[in-house]
Amino acid sequence: MTAMPAEANFSELIQKPKDTVARMQVNARRGLLLRRRDEEDLYLTTAARADQGVQVVDSITRMFAALLKESPAAVDLLTRVIPEVFPWVLPAAESCSGVPPGVRGNGSGQYLAR
């Protein structure tokens, strides 16, 4: 189960910045969800924590790229399990010669699931 971030209204951050920021330090995710009335909510975290997230994504991306280069079995496995984790990703086409049904191009060389 994923820990939920601490929450505060944006106005609390403006009125009591030290107290509000301190709330994110006791949270397992070390972040603070800032609720705003008429705008999209914000997420406040430390620069170090944000950098850790970038490093994790970069490492995982490099690991998947290395696996895909190393083994055709990894390619087969990933094309079967990725749609389970990311349901908006369509299964690979039977043939690499065409675009799978239910997919349309967006004009930039990328394809979008319907």
Side-chain angles (χ1 to χ4, degrees):
M1 185 171 148
T2 304
M4 297 302 293
E7 293 186 20
N9 291 324
F10 186 75
S11 60
E12 290 177 67
L13 179 65
I14 301 300
Q15 295 167 359
K16 298 178 184 177
K18 286 184 180 181
D19 293 342
T20 306
V21 170
R23 289 170 52 190
M24 82 176 183
Q25 299 301 329
V26 298
N27 187 278
R29 286 182 64 181
R30 301 275 193 250
L32 183 65
L33 182 62
L34 295 170
R35 300 274 183 203
R36 299 193 299 170
R37 281 191 190 143
D38 298 324
E39 297 290 332
E40 184 176 3
D41 293 340
L42 302 175
Y43 189 77
L44 179 66
T45 191
T46 64
R49 186 77 173 179
D51 189 49
Q52 285 175 346
V54 170
Q55 289 177 18
V56 166
V57 170
D58 182 55
S59 297
I60 291 172
T61 301
R62 286 186 285 119
M63 181 187 67
F64 275 114
L67 278 170
L68 294 173
K69 283 195 274 185
E70 185 68 28
S71 170
V75 174
D76 181 56
L77 180 62
L78 284 173
T79 56
R80 285 186 283 127
V81 299
I82 284 183
E84 183 178 324
V85 177
F86 304 107
W88 60 88
V89 176
L90 298 175
E94 294 288 327
S95 156
C96 292
S97 64
V99 176
V103 173
R104 62 181 170 77
N106 67 1
S108 68
Q110 297 176 335
Y111 291 91
L112 307 170
R114 288 188 190 155

